Amino acid sequence: MGRKLLLEHIDVSGIETYDVYRNHGGYKSVEKALKTMSAQEVVEEVQKSALRGRGGAGFPTGMKWSFLAKPEGVPRYLVCNADESEPGTFKDRFLMEKLPHLMVEGMITSSYALGANTAYIYIRGEYMFVLDILEKAIAEAYAKGWLGKNILGSGYDLDLHVAPGGGAYICGEETALLESLEGKRGNPRMKPPFPAVKGLYGCPTVVNNVESICAVVPIINIGADEYLKIGTEKSSGTKLISACGNIARPGVYEIELGLSVEDFIYGDEWCRGIANGKKLKALIPGGSSVPILPAHLITSTAAGERRYMSYESLSDGGFASGSMLGSGGFIVFDEDQCIVRNTWNFARFYAHESCGQCSPCREGTSWMEKVLHRLETGKGNMRDIDLLAEINKKIEGNTICPLGDAAAWPVAAAIRHFREEFEWHVTHPNDAITRNYGMLKTPSITL
Amino acid sequence: MIKVTIDDIEIEVAEGTTIMNAARMIGGDIVPPAMCYYSSLPGTGGKCRTCLVEIAAGSTKDPRPMPKLMVSCSTTVQDGMIVKNRTSEKVIENRAAVVEFLLINHPLDCPVCDQAGECDLQDLGFSHGKEGSRYEEEKRTFEPIDIGENIKLHMNRCILCYRCVHVANELTDQRVHGALHRGDHTEISTYIEKAVDNEFSGNMIDVCPVGALTDKSSRFKSRIWFLNPMNASCECKKCSGKAVVWMFGKQVYRVSVRQDKYGEVEVEDGKPNWICNECRFDKKDVSNWNIEGPRHIDRHSVISQGHYEKPNPLKNATKNIE
C-alpha cells in the first residue's frame, strides 16, 4: 500500500466537519507556517519539494509562486482553480466534497506564503453542492479564528471567498478564469503579461489547482525533504488519479508517483483489471486533452522500458509514442470501444467549449467535429483522414490559449495510433452505422 | 532604442513597440495583415491570428528561436530580435490556414455585399489565401438583424474580430452590444433589438473589416468603386467634422471616416478622427460639406482603380528625368 498524504483520513466518518478534521491533525500546517516560518520560508519549502502543478500542465508550483511580482501597495491574490471540467477528471470534486477543510487549510497556508490577504476559490458552476460544503467549512474556519483578522495572533489577515463559474470549460484556463471572476465574459487573455504580474483586477495573482493547494498542507507538515522521498526524482509526492472507463473498480486513488502503469491497472489495491475479462485496447492517462496510447505502449515505452505513473515516464517518447500525466483523468478502453467514436465525442466537447475568440480554434474545432461525425457515421472518405491531420496541425500552437492544443492532440494521436480504424469506417460504411461498440444502442445523432 | 530585423531589414524602434508597428514603420510588403488589430483601439489584437510571424531569434541575450509562431500585433520587440514574415514558409502556410478557417463560415456573398471592394477579408484572401476550400459541411447561418436605427448586422459575414466591441468601449459610456454564446456559434448581438443608439455608434461600421456591419442609409445604393471619395469637412460640435464623402455626380451616397492605408481611422495630434452619427447618416447633401479635394485611397483592391487624383508634380518630374 502506497503512502497517502491527502486522503490519509478519508475513511474517518465526519471528516468533513471541523472538529473531526482538527482532531486528526487538521490546521497543523497553518499553525506551523504562521508561528514558526516566514512567508518566504514557506515558498522555499514548496520550491524545494519540487511539487508540480496538479492541474494538467505540470508546471512547478514553487517556481510559479516565486514569479509573483510584489510591488508596494498593490494587493496580491491567490485564486484556486476548482473549475475542473476535463472529461475523465473528477479528483478535485472528490477532494473538496470529502475534505473541504483540507482545501481551506491549503488556501490559508498558501495565501500566507504569497502574502495574499484575499483569496478566491473559483468553482465549476455544476458543482453547486460542493460550493455549499465549502462555504460551510469556511464559515466554521471563520468561527474558529482560522480566517479573518489577525489569524492566530500573527497579524496576518485573510478573507476567503468561493465564486461559482457559469459552467464553461474555458474558464479553467487561468486568464479566462480571472476574466470570469471579474464578472466578464470568460475569454482567455493574451499572454504576456502573465497573471503573476497582472492578474485579477490588474494585480499580481497566482492561480493554482485544488490538488496543488491541498498538497501544500502535507509538504509543510512533513517537510520538503520527507516529501521528496515519495515519488520519483522528477515527480515528487503523491497524485490523485481519477480512474474510469472499462475497469473493474473505477474511482479516485491516491498513488505515489512512480507506480507502474501495469500495477495501477491490474493491481488489487487500484483498478483490479479490465472489467468483464476483456482485453485492454487503449488508455488516456491524463484527461481528454492528452494523446491516447495504444495497448502496446501502455505498460512499456517504445524503447521497451516499463511505463510508470509519473510526469517523465508517461511523456517518454514525446507525442510520437508517449502521452502526458495531465490532470490524472485515467480513461481505460477495452477491446469493444470504438476510437473514432470516442475521438468524435471529444471533438464535439471541444467544439462546444471553444470560447470563440481566436479563429483557428473557433472554426477549426467545429470543422474537426463535423468531419469526425461524418467518418463515424460512415459518410467519410479517405481524404477526410488526412484533412483531419492537416486541420489539427494548423490549430496546434496558433491559438491564444491551450484549448486549441488540447483539442488538436487527441485527434492527432488517435489518427497516429489507430489509423486503420478510421480507414475501416470509410471502407465499411454500413457496419460503421449499425455496429454498436458496447455503448448506447441508438447513437444520439441524426444519421 | 532597440534594433530589430524584420525580413532582413533592420530598424531601430523604441522599447515596447510591437512587431506589427515596427513593420509598419518599415512599410511596404513586409507589414503583416491585420484583421482584428486596430491601433486606435486599445485591447484589440491577438484574435484573428492572421498576423502570425516566425521569430528566428528572440533577442541578443537569448538568441533561441521561439517554438511557436507569434502574433505580431501583441508581441513586443526585443533588442536583436529577428522576425521572419514573408520570408518564412511556415508563416505563409499557417496564414493560408487562418484564411481558410476564416472563410469556412463566411458566406462569400461578395456580389451582393456592400463591403466588396473595400473588404479586408477579400484583400487577405487574395494575398494570402489558397484557391478553393476543403470545407464540405454546411455553414452556420444567422438572419440579418438591425442592431440600431442606422446599422444592419449580417452575422454570417462576421469574422469575430471584436473591433466593434472595442470601439463601443472606447467611444461610448455603456456598451450595449457584445458577443453571445461561444465557439462557432458566437454572435455579435444586442439583447434588445435596435439597442445601439449612441451618437458615435456609426463608427462601428468603419472599423468592421468585413461587411458584417453596414450603413443602412447607403446599403445597396451603389458599388463602392463607382463612387468618388472626396475629403470633406463640416462644422460639427460633436466630432472633428473631418470625413470622406463618397459621391456620384453631385449626390452624396455615403460618409465615412478618413482611413489610412491600413484601413484604420486617421489620427491627428494623437486623436482619432471619429465622426458622429449626424455627420455620417444625416448630412447627405453636398451643401452640408466643404469639399477639400479627391481622396487618395491606398488599397490594393479594385476601389483604388479609376479614381482621379491630385496631380503629383514630383512623380512626373522623375519620369521626365528617366
Side-chain angles (χ1 to χ4, degrees), chain B residues 282-317:
Chain B
D282 300 336
K283 294 184 180 170
K284 289 291 171 69
D285 196 289
V286 81
S287 64
N288 296 133
W289 296 95
N290 173 22
I291 307 286
E292 290 168 3
R295 171 83 187 165
H296 172 73
I297 303 288
D298 197 354
R299 297 181 83 102
H300 304 292
S301 57
V302 63
I303 191 174
S304 54
Q305 302 301 312
H307 287 306
Y308 61 89
E309 291 187 11
K310 269 185 200 163
N312 184 347
L314 223 76
K315 207 171 169 184
N316 292 337

Side-chain angles (χ1 to χ4, degrees), chain A residues 166-170 185 187 190-192 351-367 370-371 374 381 383-384 386-387 390-391 393-400 405, chain B residues 45-50 52 68-71 73-74 76 93-94 97-98 100-105 130 133-140 158-162 179-186:
Chain A
Y169 174 66
I170 190 63
R185 181 183 161 87
N187 280 359
M190 293 290 296
K191 284 185 266 188
H352 181 66
E353 296 294 346
S354 164
C355 78
Q357 191 177 206
C358 63
S359 30
C361 172
R362 178 183 68 231
E363 309 291 352
T365 48
S366 73
W367 189 3
K370 285 169 182 163
V371 174
R374 220 173 42 211
N381 54 44
R383 270 201 326 270
D384 288 338
D386 294 325
L387 176 64
E390 176 78 6
I391 298 170
K393 254 185 240 158
K394 293 295 185 284
I395 299 175
E396 192 189 335
N398 286 348
T399 52
I400 294 177
D405 300 343
Chain B
K47 296 182 176 68
C48 68
R49 317 306 277 186
T50 53
L52 289 169
K68 286 181 182 178
L69 298 179
M70 303 298 282
V71 275
C73 62
S74 313
T76 48
E93 202 183 296
N94 280 281
V98 173
E100 193 177 18
F101 285 137
L102 287 176
L103 288 175
I104 64 174
N105 278 317
K130 286 183 180 155
S133 170
R134 293 170 294 179
Y135 188 71
E136 296 170 18
E137 275 73 26
E138 214 172 285
K139 292 178 191 254
R140 61 115 172 81
C158 181
I159 57 159
L160 288 165
C161 67
Y162 291 78
L180 309 181
H181 312 302
R182 60 177 185 232
D184 71 338
H185 299 289
T186 314

Side-chain angles (χ1 to χ4, degrees), chain A residues 15-315:
Chain A
I15 193 73
E16 67 278 3
T17 59
Y18 173 80
D19 293 331
V20 180
Y21 182 73
R22 178 80 176 131
N23 288 339
H24 284 83
Y27 290 99
K28 268 200 182 142
S29 75
V30 180
E31 278 176 326
K32 186 175 174 187
L34 264 63
K35 285 185 177 159
T36 65
M37 296 166 89
S38 71
Q40 188 55 32
E41 277 168 354
V42 181
V43 174
E44 277 164 17
E45 199 72 9
V46 173
Q47 240 172 328
K48 206 168 139 199
S49 76
L51 172 70
R52 293 177 64 163
R54 304 297 197 218
F59 190 80
T61 305
M63 201 189 281
K64 202 177 197 174
W65 287 10
S66 68
F67 288 156
L68 184 71
K70 291 175 180 163
E72 281 293 313
V74 178
R76 300 190 281 275
Y77 295 105
L78 171 68
V79 178
C80 173
N81 184 347
D83 191 76
E84 177 187 52
S85 341
E86 180 115 337
T89 310
F90 43 89
K91 63 182 177 68
D92 294 344
R93 170 190 156 171
F94 183 77
L95 259 182
M96 292 185 291
E97 195 183 337
K98 303 287 181 196
L99 296 163
H101 281 285
L102 180 67
M103 171 90 260
V104 175
E105 183 181 353
M107 287 300 282
I108 301 167
T109 312
S110 308
S111 301
Y112 171 71
L114 298 167
N117 295 110
T118 312
Y120 294 93
I121 300 173
Y122 182 90
I123 192 164
R124 179 182 176 187
E126 283 89 342
Y127 287 176
M128 284 314 269
F129 66 102
V130 183
L131 180 132
D132 294 339
I133 296 170
L134 280 176
E135 288 203 322
K136 209 175 142 208
I138 289 171
E140 280 177 317
Y142 266 109
K144 302 285 178 188
W146 296 102
L147 284 168
K149 296 260 177 265
N150 197 10
I151 300 164
L152 296 180
S154 64
Y156 173 66
D157 309 333
L158 175 67
D159 281 313
L160 179 57
H161 306 277
V162 192
Y169 174 66
I170 190 63
C171 292
E173 200 277 339
E174 57 179 5
T175 54
L177 186 154
L178 296 176
E179 286 278 298
S180 174
L181 199 53
E182 289 178 12
K184 300 177 194 152
R185 181 183 161 87
N187 280 359
R189 294 176 185 166
M190 293 290 296
K191 284 185 266 188
F194 287 92
V197 180
K198 217 176 157 194
L200 188 64
Y201 305 116
C203 303
T205 306
V206 166
V207 184
N208 278 136
N209 177 257
V210 172
E211 198 190 337
S212 312
I213 286 176
C214 290
V216 171
V217 174
I219 289 171
I220 298 303
N221 279 339
I222 65 173
D225 293 324
E226 188 69 23
Y227 192 80
L228 272 171
K229 286 182 195 155
I230 307 164
T232 66
E233 202 180 320
K234 283 180 183 157
S235 317
S236 63
T238 63
K239 171 102 184 74
L240 294 187
I241 303 288
S242 51
C244 63
N246 306 109
I247 40 177
R249 205 170 66 136
V252 177
Y253 299 101
E254 181 171 12
I255 58 156
E256 283 185 21
L257 288 166
L259 178 75
S260 81
V261 177
E262 197 173 353
D263 283 348
F264 185 69
I265 297 176
Y266 296 102
D268 276 348
E269 286 172 39
W270 300 285
C271 303
R272 292 188 187 163
I274 311 300
N276 304 324
K278 296 269 171 65
K279 271 195 299 196
L280 177 64
K281 178 179 182 180
L283 167 73
I284 296 175
S288 64
S289 305
V290 309
I292 193 168
L293 291 174
H296 66 278
L297 291 172
I298 295 173
T299 50
S300 63
T301 63
E305 288 166 24
R306 243 166 110 81
R307 177 99 66 192
Y308 297 99
M309 302 286 288
S310 67
Y311 289 97
E312 66 276 13
S313 177
L314 278 171
S315 59

